Structure formats: structure tokens, C-alpha cells
């Protein structure tokens, strides 16, 4: 009930726990708070039975920043095809239809190709255009708790001599561990009960693997 002690605790507790991260995000002009809002809206809509809308909110998060595309595992693990459809429609609308309306089809294609070349390819394979690597994808470019960073730092404990680029075997080890965690999470989600509380746990687990 709005205004009760429990209502205030539900809102103020996460805010106080995350105040450092919130301040850091705002100081760097990042979009993570927008992503959290979209993710929360997606789960809330899904929990209320509005599965297509829930998927659309998650798709919007993926369109704003690529990493939340991983959250497609949430409706997939639950065999929620309406949620998958909603996410797909949101991505198409925000990455294809809207840019085409503003820049034309060729402009839309160039913008998406630039995203792949400068962000996705360097981050996934180490190839592509390295222009933004120093800010986005090099080792130490961002605060990262990925297995890739753990393995890389373990092999090169000295910051002074640590290479900026990950070795191929480090990336492979990262994908192997991440893939295993993903499969286990999907398996658990597949077997979970459909109650909102259980699905919130599944959503949190998918989000943890995503991070």
C-alpha cells in the first residue's frame, strides 16, 4: 500500500544500497538507470500477465544498449513466445523503423553497420574498428567483473605490464564459462514455478549472468 512502512522500505532500500553506483553512473553520463527502469517495467508487465508488453520493454532496453539483449533468455527460459515477439517488435521498431524514418533506409543501415564494426566486433572477437577500444573494449577500459577480465588479470597481475588486448584463449575460456552459466540458468528457469516470486528469482539470475 503506498505510504506504508513496507512501501517506503521497498523503494528506499534498493536506492540506499545502490547510491554509489547511481552516482557513478550519473557522473559518467551513462544510460544504466534508464536500462534498470526498462528492465523493471518489463518484469512488472510480465508478472501482471502482459507478456507482449513485458517483452517489448526488455527489447527497448536492448535497443538502448546492446548488453540487455541477453535478457531474451528470460522469456525463452519460460517458453513465453509472446514475450519474445514483443521484444523482437521493439528492437525492429527502434533499430530499423525509427532510424529509417529519420535517416532513410541507407542511413539506418550505415548506423547499424557502424555499431557492429565499432562496438560488437571489438567486444566479441577483438576485431573490427578499434577507435573506441580504449573507452569500451580494451582490458581496463571499463569496470568489469566478467570472466574474461578475471582470467586476463590473473594471467597479468601487474597493471603496469598488463596488455590492453585479451588473448584468444582468454576469450575462449570466457565464452566457455559464460556459456555453461547460461545453460544452467536457462535450465533452472525452464523448471521454475510460474509464480511472480519464483520468476523474479529467474529474472535476477539471468541479469546476474548478463552482468
Amino acid at each position: 500500500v503506498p505510504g506504508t512502512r513496507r512501501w517506503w522500505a521497498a523503494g528506499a532500500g534498493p536506492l540506499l544500497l545502490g547510491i554509489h553506483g547511481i552516482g557513478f553512473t550519473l557522473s559518467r553520463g551513462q544510460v544504466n538507470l534508464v536500462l534498470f527502469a526498462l528492465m523493471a517495467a518489463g518484469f512488472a508487465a510480465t508478472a501482471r500477465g502482459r507478456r507482449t508488453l513485458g517483452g517489448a520493454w526488455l527489447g527497448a532496453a536492448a535497443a538502448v544498449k546492446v548488453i540487455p539483449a541477453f535478457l531474451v533468455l528470460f522469456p525463452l527460459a519460460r517458453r513465453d513466445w509472446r514475450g519474445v515477439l514483443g521484444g523482437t517488435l521493439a528492437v525492429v521498431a527502434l533499430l530499423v523503423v525509427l532510424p529509417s524514418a529519420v535517416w532513410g533506409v541507407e542511413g539506418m543501415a550505415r548506423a547499424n553497420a557502424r555499431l557492429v564494426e565499432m562496438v560488437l566486433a571489438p567486444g566479441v572477437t577483438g576485431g573490427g574498428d578499434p577507435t573506441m577500444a580504449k573507452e569500451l573494449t580494451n582490458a581496463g577500459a571499463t569496470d568489469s567483473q566478467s570472466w574474461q577480465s578475471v582470467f586476463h588479470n590473473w594471467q597479468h597481475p601487474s597493471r603496469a605490464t598488463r596488455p590492453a588486448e585479451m588473448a584468444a584463449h582468454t576469450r575462449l575460456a570466457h565464452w566457455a564459462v559464460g556459456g555453461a552459466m547460461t545453460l544452467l540458468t536457462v535450465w533452472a528457469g525452464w523448471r521454475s514455478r510460474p509464480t511472480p516470486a519464483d520468476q523474479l528469482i529467474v529474472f535476477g539470475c539471468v541479469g546476474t549472468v548478463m552482468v
Side-chain angles (χ1 to χ4, degrees):
V1 179
T4 62
R5 179 179 297 178
R6 185 174 181 180
W7 182 85
W8 280 106
L15 176 64
L16 293 175
L17 287 173
I19 193 68
H20 176 267
I22 292 171
F24 186 75
T25 293
L26 290 174
S27 69
R28 292 181 59 86
Q30 296 287 342
V31 296
N32 293 331
L33 295 181
V34 176
L35 297 182
F36 270 102
L38 292 170
M39 290 163 58
F43 179 80
T46 301
R48 293 187 175 101
R50 305 177 68 180
R51 293 176 291 167
T52 305
L53 179 61
W57 284 122
L58 297 181
V64 171
K65 192 171 185 177
V66 177
I67 296 171
F70 191 85
L71 295 176
V72 71
L73 291 176
F74 177 62
L76 282 177
R78 300 167 58 250
R79 289 160 286 185
D80 176 10
W81 308 121
R82 287 171 57 187
V84 174
L85 174 63
T88 302
L89 292 175
V91 169
V92 171
L94 293 174
L95 294 184
V96 178
V97 177
L98 183 59
S100 296
V102 176
W103 299 318
V105 175
E106 291 186 2
M108 175 275 296
R110 284 196 302 270
N112 285 322
R114 183 176 173 83
L115 172 67
V116 172
E117 183 70 11
M118 300 189 69
V119 178
L120 296 184
V124 174
T125 67
D129 187 339
T131 302
M132 301 178 68
K134 184 176 180 180
E135 175 65 21
L136 292 179
T137 57
N138 278 352
T142 61
D143 293 330
S144 175
Q145 57 285 317
S146 69
W147 287 108
Q148 182 171 258
S149 295
V150 171
F151 295 148
H152 182 72
N153 294 349
W154 173 66
Q155 294 172 88
H156 308 282
S158 173
R159 288 179 178 268
T161 60
R162 185 177 299 161
E165 296 184 5
M166 309 282 185
H169 65 269
T170 301
R171 293 182 183 276
L172 287 175
H174 163 81
W175 287 111
V177 175
M181 293 175 65
T182 299
L183 290 175
L184 287 172
T185 303
V186 171
W187 176 77
W190 194 281
R191 294 170 56 86
S192 64
R193 295 180 300 178
T195 62
D198 283 65
Q199 292 310 307
L200 181 59
I201 294 173
V202 173
F203 188 70
C205 289
V206 173
T208 299
V209 178
M210 175 191 74
V211 171

